[in-house]
Amino acid sequence: MNAFEYLTSLPVASVDRLFNDPWACQAVFQSLPALSQQIVMRLLFTTTETSRATILGWATDAAADTMAAATDKLCNLRVLSESPRGMHLNPHFQTQLRTALSSLGGSPWEDGRARLPPEKPITALDLEHYARNRWDAVLHFMVGSTAVQAPPDTVVQILEQTRLMQASPEDRRKLHITDTGYEFMLKDIHAQTWIFVLEYIKNIHRQGVMSAEEMLQFLFQIRSITPRPTHVVIKCIRSYCQMHQYYAVADLTRNQQQLLGDLVELGLLYRSNPRATRFYTTSLAVNLIFGGLAGQTRSAIQMNQSLESMHLAATNGSTKPANDVNRAPGAHLSIVVETNFKVYAYTSSSLHIAMLSVFVDIVVRLNNLAVGFLTRESIRSALIHGISAEQIYDFLMQHAHPKMLHNNPVIPENIADQLYLWQRERNRIQFVPGELLEGFTLSEEFAKVVQYARDLDVLTWSDASQHKLTVKQEGADAVRKFIQSQR
């Protein structure tokens, strides 16, 4: 569920309050497919209802289904409303989008920047490293790594609420990653942050700290700092400086200021200290809303990220390729799996090593290489914590070394087969709580009791030679009463 799918689940009154903000309306408009945007632009300055048939008639017969889908999307987002007289734009959205398209510029907090005393700004590269390190602290905690400081209690609570982590069966005070959490680890960082922030929005809404629509409005305002694609590349690069510029804390609402601390902990924003008068935005924040979308929006994001890398390279005087500038050291992971169950992981990231340690027995650690083995014990430990063989196999495939991609299959067959065999081992024995009944002297009495337990469907085992049987826990009292009645 992305931000706009979540928007459809909010009450009508909440959506109307959100649409009273021009920055939110601008963000929603940017998220729409091209055809939906065309419908909005045609209706933006109309004051009368338009019939559905008229709107569908704007497209050719071949595109009728696409036009209907675009119209339905607008209705789901509450941008378009339908009445017996026809269809019309949400009046709040219509008014504020007119304002956004005709007079908005810069950012929601641009005026406050002029009132702040000048100071040396933090470099874009330092901000990106800060954001990545903050988020990596959450991921480190999920895989049980102690290489970095544990996140605050607020973050830990959300990890439990989203079932990304759960209490260990042996020690209820200790948390471990779940299968859902492991799937989460394999997602793109922007998808990870949105999943996390979505639960955070629900949490603060339940606590009454801030309404869901007010939190969305704040995120949409942060998103509006990123530039819209333009044909003039120089302007786009220049406006990207805003992504890493500072803004006045005083320009935020009282509720938004209360959230600064949590957003700083997640790496979405930066603040030098709790009393600082300014805050910085990071790419995690501005890409949060559109990070999980597809199609045109994803293409725009890729363009923006490329332009950002160009800007980072220019401002830091780097001669490295643009795509590598914003990549954290050791962020790349390449895995080689041999038929003897030996695993070579080329990485210098402690987070990657911690992820591998969940199911690999690491025996050697070098600066840019870790060596380990897939063993029955290491895989069984991962399976106990809810990680499936399919997820382990997918992880090895996703990070396979480029030279391994020429193999057919990429992962040796004996490795893949053994992963699933180890998983099936845990399903060979089924544990059923029960009781053992013995001490029978007559074979006829024993046979009657066995038959009675079988009729109740509580018999789990019997041995006629030793006159012993076991029954399920829930049927033990009934069987004992039957034995007493027979005697």
Side-chain angles (χ1 to χ4, degrees), residues 176-339:
H176 68 78
I177 190 171
T178 64
D179 56 342
T180 304
Y182 204 75
E183 288 181 0
F184 174 85
M185 297 286 292
L186 301 180
K187 293 182 182 294
D188 175 77
I189 186 172
H190 298 300
Q192 289 176 344
T193 50
W194 170 246
I195 291 172
F196 202 87
V197 169
L198 176 59
E199 186 60 32
Y200 178 74
I201 292 174
K202 295 177 181 178
N203 190 36
I204 62 173
H205 181 73
R206 286 191 297 264
Q207 295 176 356
V209 177
M210 179 186 286
S211 63
E213 67 271 13
E214 191 175 358
M215 182 64 184
L216 279 177
Q217 176 185 342
F218 187 29
L219 296 177
F220 284 144
Q221 288 175 345
I222 294 174
R223 170 62 183 90
S224 65
I225 296 172
T226 191
R228 291 185 293 274
T230 176
H231 295 294
V232 184
V233 176
I234 296 177
K235 289 184 179 179
C236 199
I237 294 176
R238 185 173 58 198
S239 62
Y240 239 93
C241 297
Q242 296 179 358
M243 178 184 291
H244 306 98
Q245 281 288 359
Y246 56 81
Y247 296 91
V249 174
D251 284 350
L252 302 179
T253 67
R254 192 173 189 179
N255 287 339
Q256 289 172 349
Q257 291 181 23
Q258 293 179 358
L259 299 179
L260 270 182
D262 291 337
L263 297 181
V264 166
E265 288 292 343
L266 293 175
L268 300 179
L269 301 176
Y270 171 79
R271 196 178 183 187
S272 58
N273 62 74
R275 294 185 179 181
T277 58
R278 65 193 75 201
F279 69 94
Y280 292 76
T281 58
T282 68
S283 61
L284 284 183
V286 297
N287 288 327
L288 177 66
I289 295 299
F290 292 122
L293 297 182
Q296 287 185 335
T297 308
R298 180 169 292 278
S299 299
I301 291 173
Q302 291 173 349
M303 174 184 175
N304 287 343
Q305 290 174 338
S306 297
L307 290 170
E308 177 190 6
S309 297
M310 292 166 60
H311 171 68
L312 290 176
T315 57
N316 290 280
S318 174
T319 58
K320 296 180 181 179
N323 291 336
D324 292 337
V325 174
N326 200 24
R327 183 177 295 165
H332 187 64
L333 172 64
S334 295
I335 298 177
V336 175
V337 183
E338 295 183 339
T339 55

Side-chain angles (χ1 to χ4, degrees), residues 391-428:
Q391 290 171 326
I392 295 174
Y393 179 83
D394 290 342
F395 183 88
L396 296 175
M397 284 290 296
Q398 182 177 343
H399 297 286
H401 193 280
K403 289 189 176 181
M404 285 195 65
L405 298 177
H406 300 294
N407 300 339
N408 188 20
V410 176
I411 305 298
E413 284 184 334
N414 69 312
I415 301 296
D417 292 343
Q418 191 61 59
L419 288 176
Y420 292 106
L421 287 174
W422 279 330
Q423 179 172 264
R424 290 173 188 169
E425 278 184 0
R426 303 187 67 243
N427 302 324
R428 288 182 180 180

